[in-house]
Amino acid sequence: MSDLVRIVEAAYDLAAPDDRTWLANVADAARVELGFEDGVVAYSYDMRDDGWITPHDVILAGATPEVAADLLNPGAFPPEDAAAVIRAHSTSGVSLATRISGAAKTPAGRAYFQRVLGARGFADAITLNATDPTRHGALFFAPSRRLPKLPPRVASRYAMICAHLAAGLRLRRALGALADEAILEPNGKVAHATGAATGPTARESLRA
């Protein structure tokens, strides 16, 4: 484990032009700094009111398209397995993929992880999930040919990274909403603002 600061800096990069670029920068930093030798599949998502997950941008940082395709197409899961997948996205944190939910213990779940991991020679994967009560988030899936280990010290560091990622994503969305209600001049001065962008704190944030 090397420079975790690089991942945190990527998490709070408000200069990234869009969420896809932000996600790619974070995924690349995680792959390098956390030593994910077999790559990372990262995707942002929204959680609907009924709890189901809608993935958006999908990033491959050293991972293959086939892994991403199988990861995001679990097939027809029984309702109890689907509920386990939903729960896995509802809380920020780190886990081994096969232990992140009860789905791995059912026949359909075992078949799914065999297709995504075992059939490609992976022992398991580390998942970093960053989400919050806004029902938006990002998940980072790092498969490994060697059985990953998550001792308490490492798990604690990864959990802190997840918290920073969730905060950075939430901040980007908040400032994006403000930007939709303001017009800025090239020098950063707010020329026109409405709604939430009119407050002094919001205007300072936009200028920065």
Side-chain angles (χ1 to χ4, degrees):
M1 191 176 302
S2 52
D3 189 6
L4 300 185
V5 173
R6 183 187 170 201
I7 304 174
V8 174
E9 289 177 343
Y12 292 109
D13 180 14
L14 302 181
D18 50 53
D19 286 349
R20 182 175 180 83
T21 302
W22 176 89
L23 189 66
N25 292 342
V26 172
D28 186 63
R31 177 183 64 84
V32 174
E33 304 304 337
L34 300 181
F36 293 150
E37 299 176 356
D38 295 302
V40 175
V41 177
Y43 58 90
S44 56
Y45 61 84
D46 294 318
M47 184 179 293
R48 302 194 312 237
D49 289 340
D50 62 4
W52 196 244
I53 303 300
T54 303
H56 295 298
D57 297 311
V58 179
I59 299 296
L60 304 177
T64 66
E66 292 78 15
V67 172
D70 281 344
L71 176 67
L72 294 171
N73 291 280
F77 267 19
E80 61 272 18
D81 289 3
V85 172
I86 292 170
R87 289 195 300 272
H89 287 77
S90 63
T91 305
S92 284
V94 57
S95 177
L96 296 182
T98 57
R99 299 179 186 175
I100 198 170
S101 69
K105 300 178 181 179
T106 66
R110 286 194 296 271
Y112 167 64
F113 283 111
Q114 171 60 22
R115 186 172 72 251
V116 175
L117 296 169
R120 295 188 169 89
F122 296 124
D124 210 327
I126 289 177
T127 62
L128 302 175
N129 188 50
T131 188
D132 59 34
T134 65
R135 294 180 175 268
H136 304 292
L139 189 140
F140 302 81
F141 179 89
S144 176
R145 300 189 185 281
R146 294 174 292 182
L147 186 63
K149 296 180 179 179
L150 285 175
R153 179 176 60 85
V154 174
S156 177
R157 289 184 180 183
Y158 284 6
M160 287 189 289
I161 290 173
C162 291
H164 283 298
L165 294 176
L169 188 58
R170 185 170 61 250
L171 182 59
R172 282 186 57 84
R173 289 181 178 274
L175 290 182
L178 289 177
D180 289 341
E181 303 180 60
I183 298 174
L184 277 72
E185 296 178 356
N187 63 3
K189 182 179 179 181
V190 179
H192 173 74
T194 61
T198 58
T201 301
R203 295 172 76 95
E204 284 298 322
S205 297
L206 288 167
R207 276 195 288 268

